[in-house]
Amino acid sequence: MGPQARAVCSVLFLLQVLAEPPENSDFYLAGDYLLGGLFTLHANVKGTVNLRYLKVPKCKEYEMKVLGYNLMQAMRFAVEEINNHRSLLPGVLLGYEIVDICYVFNNVHPVLYFLAGEDYLLPIEDDYSSYAPRVVAVIGPDNSESTMTVAHFLSLFLLPQITYSAISDDLRDKLSFPAVLRTVLGAHHHMEAMVQLMVHFRWNWIIVLVSSDDYGRDNSQLLSKHLASHDICIAFQEVLPMPQPNQTVTPYERQRLAVIVQKLKQSTARVVVVFSPDLALHNFFLEVLNQNFTGAVWIASESWAVDPVLHNLTELRHTGTFLGVTTQRMTIPGFNEFRLRRAQARQPAPNRTSKGATCNQECDTCLDTTSSFKTILTLSGDRTSYGVYSAVYTVAHALHSLLGCNQTKCRKEVVYPWRLLQEIKKVNFTLLGHQIFFDQQGDLPVCLEIVQRQWDPSQSPFQTVASYHPMLQKLRDIREVSWHTPNNTVPVSMCSKNCQPGQRKKVVGMHPCCFECIDCLPGTFLNQTADEFDCQPCPSNEWSHRNDTSCFKRRLVFLEWQEAPTIIVITLAALGFLSTLAIVVIFGKHFQTPMVRSAGGPMCFLMLTPLLVAYMMVPVYIGPPTVFSCLCRQAFFTICFTICISCFTVRSFQIVCIFKMASRLPRAYAYWVRYHGPYVFVAFVTALKGVIVAGNMLGMTTEPSTHADLDDPKIMIVSCNPNYRKALLLNTSLDLLLCVAGFSFAYTGRELPTNYNEAKFITFCMTFYFTSSISLCTFMSVYDGVLVTILDLLVTVLNLLGIGLGYFGPKCYMILSYPERNTQAYFNSMIQGFTMGRD
């Protein structure tokens, strides 16, 4: 047996028990002590009106609920308007039956009565599509728990049920509740309106009080989900005890209420959200007044936001500011007069013994009880009443469409609930200037309002301070609130004050709203939109001061043209270039002289050409580094130096060979001369150096890099590969070996003729180059700033000057100052003297 069949069997069992109450059972007319309403409609196409109350079990212990009576009158007013309407349902009169559900205790009995036939029996059938219950639609009940209980029965028959104040989001599930529609927004929108109100006034530390029923539990859980996405914390949550049926307070309940109010007084939270039916609040607020708790902001759910009974406790004005979420204020023309009119009571006929006995349509005791609420009901507007009013009109318009009505008449046919439900879902009409239609979940998209209770009798008791639009899901039209605080200042409800810009939050305890503020250190910043609890490090090319909320670009530092060290080094390089060019001119003019030939002859130009090119490449050290400039720094200059130093080395070796080794190894010397040994050696060393440089380039990138200055983090130094000193040391190692070899050969030839003894010049060049290179590598290992680039350039220029002037300068001096010594005869005499001295 499937779920639906089991439900029908349960209904049948209950029908046997409840559908036919015994004659002598203690029943009374439902309107006498109305607490919560369940209204039903049925249409009589024969032109008669069937107005009948259902007998239900007594709930005399409850006091009359003013809002419940108000809703009942809205139901009657709507029915009378429609029955008197000429074009809506012409020839069809609506009847109604109203029962008291006694809050939550009397749900099943009336539902079974509505579903049963005229014989009070509900037949078991395979298909109920042709079954016509006693009523065509049900309006209500007024709370979610009762609505879902009723809906489980009505949905089996697809009997339309329109509730006017049940906000539970569970009712949006059309698989479980296919026949439920609502003229009020769901709980999601109510919670969103509350949370946006808190966000607007920057309240992030609140207290939640809930009733012990499903209404309190469900709404508090939904509120917690909404609060989590807005960083609002709940200081604590307490459950309000539900009152006894006779409204008496037990010692335990009184103690619980006293403890709750005491916690409210001790808490730093000033905003209290209350989810509870109005029944549980009267005793609670009496305890609040008893303990003289003040200065709070009370946020009411829709269940008591506009309750007129609590408004009579005028002393509540001293406890703080009362705000609430409720439906939009509406005015139903003529309803106030209808609601409060007095009519002569009609007693039921004494000989009436029918099980469905009729009753008077005017509630005598209700008129007396509600007379004191006349003003507040009138001034507060028809908020919830409009939900009942529009629900009745919705059924009427659906019937009008289903019966194919025109301006004068309607078809006379049986109305089946499932067909009416289809028409209700399709209604779209205007009622008092508002469009009435249902979305896919069966909700009527009406606006919500945030209202404030006003205790001034001359003002409206519920002043609208903001509006919530469900389509936009935003709080709009926010107005001034009359705060019960000194100077009308907005109450503060925060566990911790907001941190200053650039301060991160360090959570204290278990709530993220309780924290201490810690400054963000230099080099970090706080992005509040991303993370308020951690300072984020700045990117490598940016920096920040303490307590910064963003990073700024570091100032890029490199060798610039206008700096004094740059000007000095460039001046030296220019003088070196001019002097080297002058040497080239002098050596070219005196190329055939013995002085030039003894200095190396054509090999001199092999040394001078790289020097000239190197001087011209000095500007690559200035300006922001590029791939090309880094390549020149790490490869070109070192190859130029290698060519020069290899020429020195081979020149020193060649002089020694001529004077000391030619006679001892004549064949080797012949091969050396025949195959141009000096140039082969220079080419080999240069090629070897090229391989070393290429290996460095493959292992270390030539891309420029940036790194922060340790002494000043606001500065970003732009340089070539930070591992350049390692590459420089590796590249220089071959040059240093050549220096040692050249120095050794020069030392060996120290006894040669003066014109050929170049040991002191080569020694000077090699020693200077060796010392400067080692010093540069040492400096790079201990210092990492823009000064490294300046020193690297200075050492390069000085090495070029040392090679050019240290070796070629003395020879130019001899050529220009002592031309008589630059002759073949003079050189021959020097050689003869050296030979005779050895003999």
Side-chain angles (χ1 to χ4, degrees):
M1 182 180 295
Q4 185 170 0
R6 288 198 297 270
V8 172
C9 289
S10 299
V11 170
L12 179 60
F13 172 76
L14 292 174
L15 274 173
Q16 293 173 343
V17 176
L18 297 175
E20 299 183 20
E23 291 288 339
N24 58 355
S25 62
D26 189 13
F27 292 98
Y28 81 109
L29 299 181
D32 287 348
Y33 297 93
L34 187 67
L35 176 69
L38 180 67
F39 317 133
T40 61
L41 287 174
H42 55 83
N44 192 325
V45 297
K46 297 180 180 179
T48 62
V49 182
N50 185 355
L51 303 178
R52 179 168 32 179
Y53 279 102
L54 169 66
K55 288 185 176 182
V56 296
K58 283 186 178 180
C59 46
K60 290 182 179 179
E61 295 82 355
Y62 286 100
E63 296 180 355
M64 196 277 301
K65 182 177 179 182
V66 177
L67 284 181
Y69 172 76
N70 198 45
L71 298 177
M72 180 194 73
Q73 294 292 51
M75 169 79 171
R76 295 182 58 230
F77 179 72
V79 172
E80 289 194 17
E81 266 196 351
I82 294 170
N83 287 339
N84 294 327
H85 203 287
R86 294 183 178 180
S87 58
L88 183 60
L89 290 177
V92 177
L93 295 179
L94 293 180
Y96 58 85
E97 299 189 25
I98 304 176
V99 300
D100 183 2
I101 63 170
C102 298
Y103 182 52
V104 294
F105 305 113
N106 184 45
N107 294 315
V108 176
H109 181 201
V111 171
L112 296 178
Y113 169 77
F114 297 149
L115 292 175
E118 293 297 332
D119 55 358
Y120 296 95
L121 295 177
L122 179 61
I124 298 178
E125 299 179 3
D126 293 334
D127 184 4
Y128 286 98
S129 60
S130 300
Y131 178 74
R134 182 183 302 272
V135 298
V136 296
V138 174
I139 310 298
D142 64 345
N143 62 81
S144 300
E145 188 173 353
S146 298
T147 298
M148 286 188 281
T149 301
V150 171
H152 284 302
F153 290 94
L154 300 182
S155 294
L156 294 174
F157 299 86
L158 294 181
L159 181 67
Q161 178 186 2
I162 305 178
T163 178
Y164 45 85
S165 60
I167 66 171
S168 174
D169 281 346
D170 292 339
L171 296 173
R172 295 170 62 89
D173 183 3
K174 295 298 106 175
L175 292 178
S176 301
F177 307 103
V180 177
L181 300 102
R182 296 188 290 189
T183 57
V184 64
L185 287 179
H188 164 77
H189 294 287
H190 287 255
M191 300 305 112
E192 187 63 26
M194 278 189 184
V195 171
Q196 290 191 23
L197 178 68
M198 300 175 197
V199 172
H200 176 77
F201 291 111
R202 299 181 180 179
W203 297 327
N204 67 352
W205 188 235
I206 68 171
I207 300 169
V208 178
L209 303 181
V210 301
S211 56
S212 58
D213 56 359
D214 290 342
Y215 174 81
R217 289 188 294 269
D218 294 344
N219 284 290
S220 64
Q221 292 176 3
L222 184 59
L223 176 65
S224 299
K225 294 180 181 178
H226 283 257
L227 294 178
S229 60
H230 292 83
D231 295 331
I232 300 176
C233 303
I234 299 176
F236 66 88
Q237 178 173 313
E238 286 291 343
V239 179
L240 297 175
M242 292 297 294
Q244 299 297 317
N246 58 3
Q247 290 291 302
T248 59
V249 183
T250 65
Y252 170 77
E253 291 173 349
R254 190 179 302 279
Q255 181 183 5
R256 283 290 304 145
L257 291 175
V259 170
I260 292 173
V261 176
Q262 190 63 30
K263 289 185 66 175
L264 292 178
K265 296 176 67 175
Q266 295 174 355
S267 175
T268 58
R270 295 291 89 189
V271 175
V272 184
V273 181
V274 183
F275 292 106
S276 174
D278 52 353
L279 293 174
L281 296 179
H282 188 269
N283 295 328
F284 167 72
F285 280 113
L286 287 179
E287 184 63 29
V288 170
L289 293 174
N290 183 50
Q291 295 195 28
N292 194 27
F293 174 58
T294 61
V297 177
W298 304 91
I299 299 181
S301 62
E302 93 298 337
S303 62
W304 65 281
V306 292
D307 184 73
V309 178
L310 284 176
H311 197 77
N312 276 358
L313 293 175
T314 56
E315 294 301 318
L316 288 178
R317 72 178 68 189
H318 303 298
T319 65
T321 306
F322 283 79
L323 303 176
V325 180
T326 183
T327 53
Q328 185 179 14
R329 176 190 174 102
M330 298 292 300
T331 300
I332 305 176
F335 178 54
N336 286 329
E337 295 78 7
F338 177 88
R339 174 178 53 204
L340 299 173
R341 75 184 181 185
R342 181 176 294 274
Q344 182 178 2
R346 294 172 296 175
Q347 299 297 332
N351 57 351
R352 188 87 175 189
T353 59
S354 171
K355 297 177 182 179
T358 60
C359 77
N360 58 305
Q361 294 301 297
E362 302 293 342
C363 177
D364 303 328
T365 57
C366 293
L367 287 172
D368 296 334
T369 308
T370 58
S371 59
S372 61
F373 297 101
K374 175 180 178 181
T375 302
I376 189 173
L377 288 175
T378 302
L379 294 178
S380 61
D382 305 316
R383 299 179 185 273
T384 310
S385 302
Y386 182 77
V388 177
Y389 183 78
S390 59
V392 176
Y393 266 90
T394 296
V395 175
H397 278 269
L399 283 171
H400 188 90
S401 175
L402 180 62
L403 297 176
C405 301
N406 53 30
Q407 295 294 327
T408 59
K409 63 178 181 178
C410 300
R411 293 196 306 266
K412 298 184 183 299
E413 61 181 47
V414 178
V415 176
Y416 296 109
W418 63 272
R419 294 186 59 194
L420 180 61
L421 178 62
Q422 293 177 346
E423 295 298 327
I424 290 178
K425 292 180 178 180
K426 295 186 292 184
V427 296
N428 194 333
F429 62 96
T430 302
L431 182 64
L432 301 182
H434 292 268
Q435 202 70 18
I436 305 298
F437 66 94
F438 296 96
D439 59 20
Q440 292 182 350
Q441 282 73 37
D443 292 344
L444 178 64
V446 295
C447 293
L448 297 177
E449 289 183 348
I450 306 296
V451 297
Q452 179 185 9
R453 286 181 181 263
Q454 300 286 349
W455 308 100
D456 188 348
S458 63
Q459 295 181 347
S460 172
F462 305 104
Q463 185 70 37
T464 301
V465 295
S467 299
Y468 174 84
H469 296 260
M471 298 299 182
L472 302 176
Q473 295 195 20
K474 287 186 178 180
L475 210 60
R476 303 179 63 182
D477 305 326
I478 302 177
R479 304 162 195 168
E480 292 292 332
V481 178
S482 299
W483 303 108
H484 292 267
T485 56
N487 301 323
N488 197 34
T489 56
V490 178
V492 177
S493 186
M494 304 175 70
C495 182
S496 301
K497 292 184 178 180
N498 287 330
C499 294
Q500 297 297 322
Q503 291 183 327
R504 69 179 181 90
K505 298 177 181 179
K506 181 181 179 182
V507 177
V508 178
M510 59 180 293
H511 295 288
C513 300
C514 301
F515 50 83
E516 59 181 357
C517 300
I518 300 178
D519 295 343
C520 286
L521 298 176
T524 63
F525 72 102
L526 184 69
N527 185 356
Q528 291 185 342
T529 58
D531 188 359
E532 294 182 335
F533 299 94
D534 288 305
C535 299
Q536 300 180 7
C538 293
S540 59
N541 62 333
E542 296 181 358
W543 190 250
S544 67
H545 300 295
R546 180 181 291 270
N547 289 1
D548 271 354
T549 58
S550 61
C551 300
F552 56 85
K553 293 288 185 180
R554 301 192 199 213
R555 183 169 62 89
L556 298 180
V557 176
F558 46 83
L559 201 58
E560 300 186 46
W561 287 96
Q562 67 272 18
E563 295 179 0
T566 304
I567 296 174
I568 294 174
V569 175
I570 289 297
T571 301
L572 291 176
L575 293 177
F577 177 80
L578 294 177
S579 62
T580 304
L581 187 61
I583 293 173
V584 171
V585 173
I586 292 172
F587 271 51
K589 185 176 181 180
H590 301 85
F591 181 71
Q592 298 300 331
T593 61
M595 187 67 69
V596 174
R597 296 180 65 184
S598 66
M603 188 167 287
C604 294
F605 295 98
L606 183 60
M607 290 185 286
L608 291 172
T609 300
L611 292 178
L612 287 174
V613 176
Y615 278 123
M616 291 189 293
M617 297 297 293
V618 165
V620 300
Y621 278 90
I622 306 170
T626 63
V627 175
F628 175 75
S629 63
C630 290
L631 182 64
C632 292
R633 294 184 194 182
Q634 299 180 25
F636 182 79
F637 285 99
T638 184
I639 291 178
C640 290
F641 284 125
T642 300
I643 293 175
C644 295
I645 295 172
S646 62
C647 290
F648 284 146
T649 303
V650 76
R651 178 61 185 160
S652 301
F653 173 75
Q654 193 170 0
I655 293 174
V656 173
C657 288
I658 292 174
F659 287 95
K660 292 190 174 184
M661 299 182 65
S663 58
R664 299 176 185 177
L665 298 171
R667 181 174 298 180
Y669 180 73
Y671 279 109
W672 176 264
V673 174
R674 181 185 307 172
Y675 294 105
H676 306 285
Y679 297 101
V680 173
F681 178 79
V682 172
F684 173 77
V685 172
T686 303
L688 180 61
K689 187 58 172 288
V691 172
I692 295 175
V693 171
N696 289 337
M697 294 302 169
L698 294 176
M700 304 177 189
T701 179
T702 58
E703 291 284 344
S705 63
T706 55
H707 56 279
D709 191 338
L710 298 180
D711 297 329
D712 188 358
K714 298 187 295 297
I715 292 177
M716 180 68 70
I717 299 174
V718 186
S719 62
C720 292
N721 189 345
N723 295 322
Y724 172 52
R725 58 178 176 269
K726 298 179 182 179
L728 179 63
L729 185 61
L730 185 62
N731 292 340
T732 310
S733 59
L734 179 61
D735 299 337
L736 296 179
L737 292 176
L738 291 175
C739 288
V740 173
F743 176 80
S744 300
F745 290 134
Y747 181 79
T748 303
R750 65 186 182 280
E751 298 177 355
L752 296 178
T754 305
N755 290 356
Y756 292 93
N757 187 356
E758 299 174 346
K760 54 184 177 182
F761 305 123
I762 294 177
T763 300
F764 169 77
C765 295
M766 297 299 100
T767 302
F768 185 82
Y769 181 79
F770 180 86
T771 304
S772 62
S773 298
I774 295 298
S775 300
L776 179 60
C777 292
T778 304
F779 184 80
M780 284 184 173
S781 63
V782 297
Y783 185 80
D784 190 19
V786 70
L787 190 58
V788 171
T789 304
I790 299 174
L791 187 61
D792 187 11
L793 175 59
L794 179 61
V795 168
T796 299
V797 172
L798 291 178
N799 282 332
L800 293 175
L801 290 173
I803 293 174
L805 299 180
Y807 182 76
F808 295 102
K811 300 186 182 303
C812 290
Y813 175 76
M814 294 297 296
I815 292 173
L816 298 178
S817 301
Y818 301 97
E820 67 278 5
R821 297 181 183 181
N822 190 18
T823 60
Q824 189 66 41
Y826 180 78
F827 270 74
N828 289 337
S829 64
M830 296 298 294
I831 293 174
Q832 289 177 0
F834 172 75
T835 304
M836 293 175 61
R838 291 183 61 184
D839 295 339

